[in-house]
Amino acid sequence: KLKTERKEIMAQVHLTLEDEILKDLMLGNRENGVAKLLEKVFDAVLRGQASEQLNAEPYERSDGRVSYRNGYRERTLTTRVGTLILHVPKFRDGNFSTDLFRSYQRSEKALLLSLMEMVVQGVSTRKVSEITETLCGTSFSKSTVSMLCQELDPVVDNFRNRPLSRHYPFMIVDAIYMKARDDGRVKSRGLLIATGVNDDGNREVLGFKIADGESEEAWSDFFCELKARGLSDVDLVVSDSHGGLKKAIQRQFHGAGWQRCQTHFSKNLLDKTPKKLQSEIKSSLTDLYNAPDLKQAKDRKQQMLDNFQDKAPKAMALLDDSFDEITAVFALPEAYRKRLRTSNSIERLNEELRRRERVIRIFPNDDSLIRLMGAVLMEHHEKWLTGKKYFIMDRYFDERETARKEALAERAAHLHVVT
C-alpha cells in the first residue's frame, strides 16, 4: 500500500507453487527470493501509480484518460537484500512521477558526496571501490569513482576564479611538482600556489595554476591572472629565490617588497660552508635573523663577515650579496616578522597536498590534478577563514599610515628648502 496525493494505491502480487520466488523462499535461497519478491511488489506499485496518474487501467477505454502508456525503462534500486531491477512506466506525453525513489536519491547523493570526500582526504579510488562494495553490496569501478569526482569541477573552478575583492598586504608563493599523464607520457607538472593575508588578518588561498615549470613567463602569467581577478596593492611577497619567480615578482609587483625565505637561504648558505664551520655559522645566522631591528642586523652581518670571511669566503659572499633580500621583513612591525620571514606556512600546505598526491602517485591528466589539489586547497582556505586570525592588522595599518604621513612631511620640507 502506497499513499499518493489523491488516494492509496493497493499493490497485489499473486504467487503459485511453481513460481521461482516461492521456491527460493521455501528451499533456503531466501535472500534471492526476498529480492525478487520486492521487485514484483515495487513493480506492482509503479503500475498502480501509472493507472492513477493516467486515470485508466491498461487497455481500458475511458473518457477521463489523460495520456497513454509507452513501455517502461529499467531502474536499479540498491537495498539491503541486493540490487533490484524495477520497471518504471513511460507515458507518450508528460512524465510519470513517483516518490518511490526519493529516499533512494537522498541516500545516493549522500553516498556520492562521501565518495568524493574519501578521495579528497587521500583514499585511493581502488580503496573507495572496495569500501562501497563492503558497505553497499555494490562495487564502483575506479573509472566510475573518477567520473563521480568530476562533480567537483564546477565547485573548484568557481573557487579558483573567484574575484579577489579585498586588500592583501602579504602574499606567499611557492610551487610543488607532481606527475601527470599527457599524450600517453608521464610528465612532471608544476603546481604554482599563492596564499595571502587579507586586510582582516585571515589567510586565504589566492589561486593556483598548472605549469610546465617555474619560468619567469609561467609565474608572470599566474600573477597576471591573480591581478585580473582583483589582486592589487601587495606590500610584501615572500618566496624562495628561484630565478624565474624572482624576476616575475619584480615585473608584476612594482613597489612591493620581496622577502627571500630565510629557511631556504640558510640551506643555500650552509651548502657553501665548510662542514666544520656549519654549526657556528648557523648559530650566528639565527642571531642575525632575530635582531630587534635592521641596524643591529647589519651589525651582526658585519661581525659574521669579520669572523668567517677567510674561512668561508663563498658563504660570506652570498650573505653580503643577499642581505637586503633576507632582511626586507625588518620594514614591518616586529609582531609580523617571524611568520613572514619564511615561506614555511605554504610549505606546510604543500605537505598536505603531497600526502594526497602519494596515494595517486601519477594523475591521469591535468584536470584530475587540478580537481583533487583544488579541493584540498579549498578545504584549507575555508578552514583559515573560519579559524583564528593569522595577524591582528590594526598595528600594521597604523604604522603604515604614520610612515606615509612622515614621508609626505619630509617631502614637503625638502621642497620648501629647495624653493
Side-chain angles (χ1 to χ4, degrees):
K1 186 171 69 172
L2 182 70
K3 289 186 177 181
T4 66
E5 291 184 359
R6 286 194 285 173
K7 64 179 182 179
E8 294 181 349
I9 301 297
M10 303 298 295
Q12 295 184 355
V13 178
H14 300 281
L15 301 178
T16 67
L17 289 175
E18 289 75 22
D19 198 299
E20 292 294 331
I21 296 176
L22 195 57
K23 291 180 180 179
D24 284 339
L25 292 173
M26 295 176 63
L27 297 177
N29 192 6
R30 301 181 65 181
E31 186 172 319
N32 184 62
V34 171
K36 293 296 182 184
L37 180 60
L38 280 177
E39 285 182 352
K40 276 187 172 290
V41 171
F42 286 149
D43 279 346
V45 170
L46 294 170
R47 288 196 300 270
Q49 285 186 320
S51 296
E52 194 268 342
Q53 292 175 31
L54 292 175
N55 206 23
E57 296 295 330
Y59 308 109
E60 178 186 358
R61 296 181 181 274
S62 171
D63 294 335
R65 177 187 289 276
V66 296
S67 185
Y68 293 88
R69 290 171 174 81
N70 188 28
Y72 61 86
R73 62 184 177 86
E74 289 188 351
R75 169 76 183 266
T76 59
L77 180 66
T78 302
T79 70
R80 293 182 180 180
V81 295
T83 300
L84 311 183
I85 301 177
L86 306 183
H87 300 83
V88 182
K90 294 167 62 178
F91 297 158
R92 288 186 186 177
D93 50 9
N95 295 319
F96 170 74
S97 63
T98 179
D99 53 7
L100 180 63
F101 299 103
R102 185 173 300 168
S103 60
Y104 165 74
Q105 289 170 340
R106 286 196 298 267
S107 299
E108 182 183 47
K109 186 175 182 180
L111 174 61
L112 300 186
L113 291 174
S114 297
L115 293 181
M116 290 187 286
E117 179 65 16
M118 280 191 282
V119 174
V120 170
Q121 292 300 327
V123 181
S124 69
T125 52
R126 184 179 291 105
K127 188 65 175 177
V128 170
S129 179
E130 294 173 1
I131 291 171
T132 54
E133 186 169 13
T134 301
L135 294 179
C136 312
T138 183
S139 176
F140 289 81
S141 66
K142 290 171 56 181
S143 58
T144 301
V145 175
S146 297
M147 181 183 66
L148 294 176
C149 291
Q150 289 179 12
E151 294 187 20
L152 288 169
D153 287 349
V155 179
V156 172
D157 286 342
N158 288 338
F159 169 66
R160 68 189 297 231
N161 294 310
R162 75 190 189 281
L164 299 176
S165 55
R166 306 196 67 151
H167 176 209
Y168 299 91
F170 313 129
M171 184 171 73
I172 305 95
V173 295
D174 197 15
I176 182 172
Y177 285 86
M178 300 180 181
K179 293 181 179 180
R181 297 186 186 277
D182 182 31
D183 292 333
R185 295 185 299 167
V186 177
K187 294 184 178 180
S188 178
R189 309 294 281 155
L191 182 66
L192 313 184
I193 306 171
T195 66
V197 181
N198 63 33
D199 48 12
D200 200 33
N202 290 112
R203 281 189 293 172
E204 292 188 31
V205 175
L206 302 182
F208 56 96
K209 180 183 176 68
I210 294 290
D212 290 329
E214 292 188 76
S215 66
E216 179 183 354
E217 181 180 4
W219 277 110
S220 290
D221 289 345
F222 179 44
F223 292 149
C224 285
E225 291 177 8
L226 294 178
K227 291 162 71 175
R229 288 168 46 208
L231 180 65
S232 61
D233 299 326
V234 176
D235 297 334
L236 182 72
V237 182
V238 184
S239 75
D240 60 29
S241 61
H242 190 283
L245 172 56
K246 181 178 177 181
K247 291 178 181 177
I249 292 172
Q250 293 171 345
R251 274 179 55 186
Q252 299 296 330
F253 298 102
H254 300 291
W258 175 58
Q259 171 64 36
R260 180 173 178 175
C261 174
Q262 291 181 353
T263 300
H264 284 85
F265 177 77
S266 295
K267 184 178 183 305
N268 297 149
L269 187 77
L270 293 176
D271 286 343
K272 296 180 179 296
T273 301
K275 192 169 184 178
K276 63 181 180 180
L277 294 175
Q278 286 182 357
S279 177
E280 189 177 356
I281 287 183
K282 182 179 180 180
S283 177
S284 298
L285 193 58
T286 300
D287 288 340
L288 187 157
Y289 293 153
N290 293 329
D293 53 47
L294 184 59
K295 181 180 181 302
Q296 291 198 42
K298 289 180 178 179
D299 292 342
R300 294 178 186 186
K301 179 202 75 170
Q302 188 57 51
Q303 187 175 5
M304 287 185 66
L305 294 178
D306 294 341
N307 292 340
F308 303 110
Q309 182 66 59
D310 296 333
K311 302 175 184 178
K314 292 182 179 179
M316 293 304 101
L318 177 62
L319 174 64
D320 198 23
D321 292 340
S322 307
F323 178 78
D324 291 338
E325 299 172 353
I326 62 174
T327 56
V329 75
F330 280 97
L332 303 177
E334 188 173 359
Y336 303 86
R337 296 175 192 169
K338 187 172 183 178
R339 285 181 168 175
L340 292 173
R341 68 188 187 182
T342 71
S343 58
N344 288 354
S345 62
I346 202 169
E347 292 288 346
R348 284 190 288 272
L349 181 61
N350 288 346
E351 289 175 6
E352 289 297 312
L353 298 176
R354 186 67 74 193
R355 185 167 66 86
R356 270 66 164 203
E357 180 261 348
R358 288 193 193 100
V359 175
I360 307 298
R361 291 186 298 175
I362 299 175
F363 289 88
N365 49 51
D366 284 354
D367 289 341
S368 63
L369 195 160
I370 290 173
R371 181 183 307 128
L372 180 56
M373 295 300 108
V376 176
L377 290 170
M378 185 167 60
E379 182 182 275
H380 282 271
H381 170 84
E382 293 170 352
K383 187 184 300 183
W384 288 345
L385 285 181
T386 57
K388 185 178 179 181
K389 290 185 177 182
Y390 200 60
F391 287 127
I392 302 300
M393 298 297 290
D394 294 346
R395 183 179 176 186
Y396 171 75
F397 286 118
D398 288 344
E399 292 200 14
R400 194 177 70 160
E401 181 62 19
T402 299
R404 187 185 70 83
K405 290 179 179 179
E406 290 176 351
L408 289 175
E410 184 178 346
R411 182 181 178 187
H414 176 72
L415 290 173
H416 178 73
V417 170
V418 171
T419 303

